Amino acid sequence: MGKLERIGVSIDSELLKHFDRLSGERGYTNRSEAFRDLIRDQLVGQQTTAPNAMVVGSITLIYDHHASGLPEKLTELQHEFHALVVSTTHAHLDHDSCLEVLIVRGRGAEVERFADRLIGLKGVVHGKLVKSVAAGELGKPKKHTHKH
Ligand code: NI
């Protein structure tokens, strides 16, 4: 992290009112931290868009474990993409449904392809990929980690 800089921002009073209300609802006690989080979210979004960018993240899956062949297909896919999987956690939510969270790390495009394959399986009722970067990588320009 760099040193703290103070900046002045001109903003429409109505817009600021909405922003303050929203950040209050989200538990921010200080406007600066709310602004900083918005900026970081934009940076992470921009940084994780390039197909080649190294990303970390999580894939959350909700599924019915009675769905025919589903647990086997989920295991198969995780072995197929094992290089991307850092760890997995499973919770049995009730008699039928399971929640599984996979922590992933790899190239953005591969992580997305993996998430799409998992979420697209029949019996997965909801799924979401969240992509991010390590704190130290935030805002850094893309590095070429290997030569072509
Ligand atoms: Ni389960």
Side-chain angles (χ1 to χ4, degrees), residues 4-71:
L4 275 187
E5 304 239 11
R6 285 186 173 278
I7 56 166
V9 177
S10 305
I11 187 166
D12 177 272
S13 59
E14 279 297 301
L15 187 60
L16 185 60
K17 209 164 77 190
H18 292 314
F19 179 74
D20 283 341
R21 201 182 49 221
L22 180 73
S23 37
E25 283 168 8
R26 291 192 176 167
Y28 288 102
T29 50
N30 138 357
R31 191 185 268 164
S32 292
E33 184 54 18
F35 268 118
R36 286 191 289 265
D37 278 356
L38 275 187
I39 292 170
R40 288 187 199 111
D41 189 50
Q42 288 295 305
L43 288 171
V44 167
Q46 194 263 343
Q47 223 174 323
T48 55
T49 301
N52 223 14
M54 287 301 291
V55 304
V56 294
S58 61
I59 302 168
T60 300
L61 304 168
I62 302 282
Y63 64 91
D64 179 345
H65 74 105
H66 293 124
S68 168
L70 181 59

Side-chain angles (χ1 to χ4, degrees), residues 63 65 90-94 96-99:
Y63 64 91
H65 74 105
H90 186 103
H92 311 297
L93 295 179
D94 55 35
D96 305 307
S97 51
C98 300
L99 163 66

Side-chain angles (χ1 to χ4, degrees), residues 57-105:
S58 61
I59 302 168
T60 300
L61 304 168
I62 302 282
Y63 64 91
D64 179 345
H65 74 105
H66 293 124
S68 168
L70 181 59
E72 293 77 13
K73 281 177 202 147
L74 284 169
T75 304
E76 242 170 68
L77 268 179
Q78 293 187 38
H79 280 281
E80 188 182 332
F81 289 86
H82 67 91
L84 301 177
V85 182
V86 177
S87 81
T88 65
T89 300
H90 186 103
H92 311 297
L93 295 179
D94 55 35
H95 189 71
D96 305 307
S97 51
C98 300
L99 163 66
E100 195 152 305
V101 179
L102 292 84
I103 296 176
V104 291
R105 182 197 286 264

